[in-house]
Amino acid sequence: MPPNFPVSATDTAALLDRLHALEGVPSALAAALDGIDAVLRDRGLRRTAPDVTGESLLRGAHASAVLEGSSSTLDDVREGSCDEVAAASVRLSTELLSLAPVLRRSPLQALARLHTLAGAGAVPDDQLGRPRDAESAQLLRTVSQVLSYDGPALLVAAVVHGELVSASPFASHNGLVARAAERLVLVARGIDPTSLIVPEAGHLALRPAYEANSAGLRDGGQQGVHRWLLYAAEAYAAGAEASPLGRSRP
């Protein structure tokens, strides 16, 4: 978010209120939420089996890994013969749902666990789950405040993703952690409690826009944030369409 992103919980909530009021953002997020709700409702959320959730998480792990530079295919991921980046993404996906109550209770602990899972074997143990420096530690505290914001869940998911992917507070795998945290918000806030939407696939489908808008967060000021939020709404709609429930599913 902007370089002067507030550090107090009160100011953070006020800024998030202002971000949500930016032109086009409320309607874009509301339309994305309607699309998610339509998929979950119309395709029988209560009747879905655990294997559908597993498929959604697997597709998300693959899409996130590709965005992080993996060359593994979805079949490689299914067969367990994927590269290190995809393997890290799969590790995140296997524990993601169990972290939903942790995110609600202790956001910093949940974020640390996400990086520990992703970075295992890639960075020294004393760097796992730890911010890179004092500035990164402050950024994570701000993200924790965002996660405690009692406002639109899609706004929270987009801001958390944007903060983590643009500031890279961990020693490695920041993109994987950012996208996992985004999905986790959707679960923990009850938007998609059984994790059937695939936001990572939405970002992959819109990859040029994803990369341009995430880069814009680093140097685009409030305009960059505004564009990111509008983009995120589009990506969430694409993630709903990517659900394994499928539009053709009865």
Side-chain angles (χ1 to χ4, degrees):
M1 298 302 106
N4 61 344
F5 197 96
V7 295
S8 78
T10 301
D11 287 349
T12 299
L15 177 56
L16 290 167
D17 287 342
R18 292 198 296 274
L19 292 180
H20 187 247
L22 290 172
E23 183 178 359
V25 170
S27 58
L29 293 178
L33 183 59
D34 285 345
I36 292 171
D37 287 344
V39 170
L40 298 182
R41 181 181 64 248
D42 295 347
R43 306 301 160 185
L45 174 60
R46 293 191 178 92
R47 298 192 300 275
T48 56
D51 64 316
V52 183
T53 292
E55 176 64 18
S56 173
L57 289 165
L58 191 71
R59 292 185 188 184
H62 171 254
S64 188
V66 171
L67 288 167
E68 198 77 355
S70 171
S71 60
S72 295
T73 67
L74 182 56
D75 285 341
D76 292 336
V77 173
R78 291 188 198 284
E79 295 164 5
S81 58
C82 51
D83 58 27
E84 187 279 331
V85 174
S89 192
V90 170
R91 285 196 301 272
L92 279 170
S93 72
T94 58
E95 196 167 319
L96 197 69
L97 297 187
S98 69
L99 290 174
V102 183
L103 189 76
R104 292 189 292 265
R105 181 179 68 249
S106 180
L108 286 175
Q109 182 182 342
L111 294 173
R113 181 59 182 165
L114 290 176
H115 182 253
T116 298
L117 288 166
V123 298
D125 288 351
D126 62 359
Q127 295 181 19
L128 292 174
R130 297 180 180 275
R132 290 184 292 106
D133 50 31
E135 185 178 355
S136 297
Q138 180 58 61
L139 181 281
L140 290 175
R141 287 192 290 272
T142 297
V143 171
S144 176
Q145 292 165 4
V146 173
L147 286 164
S148 300
Y149 171 65
D150 186 20
L154 292 187
L155 178 72
V156 172
V159 171
V160 167
H161 182 172
E163 286 278 22
L164 295 174
V165 80
S166 62
S168 299
F170 296 110
S172 68
H173 298 85
N174 286 282
L176 293 183
V177 171
R179 290 181 290 275
E182 177 179 64
R183 183 189 274 249
L184 189 55
V185 170
L186 301 182
V187 173
R189 290 294 187 98
I191 297 296
D192 182 18
T194 52
S195 207
L196 300 172
I197 301 305
V198 193
E200 306 93 337
H203 295 307
L204 183 58
L206 301 171
R207 188 171 191 170
Y210 175 70
E211 293 176 346
N213 284 289
S214 57
L217 286 171
R218 300 182 183 96
D219 51 25
Q222 182 166 296
Q223 286 187 342
V225 177
H226 191 183
R227 288 192 295 267
W228 170 259
L229 294 175
L230 295 174
Y231 158 76
E234 185 180 358
Y236 295 147
E241 291 298 323
S243 171
L245 291 172
R247 281 300 184 186
S248 62
R249 192 181 179 94

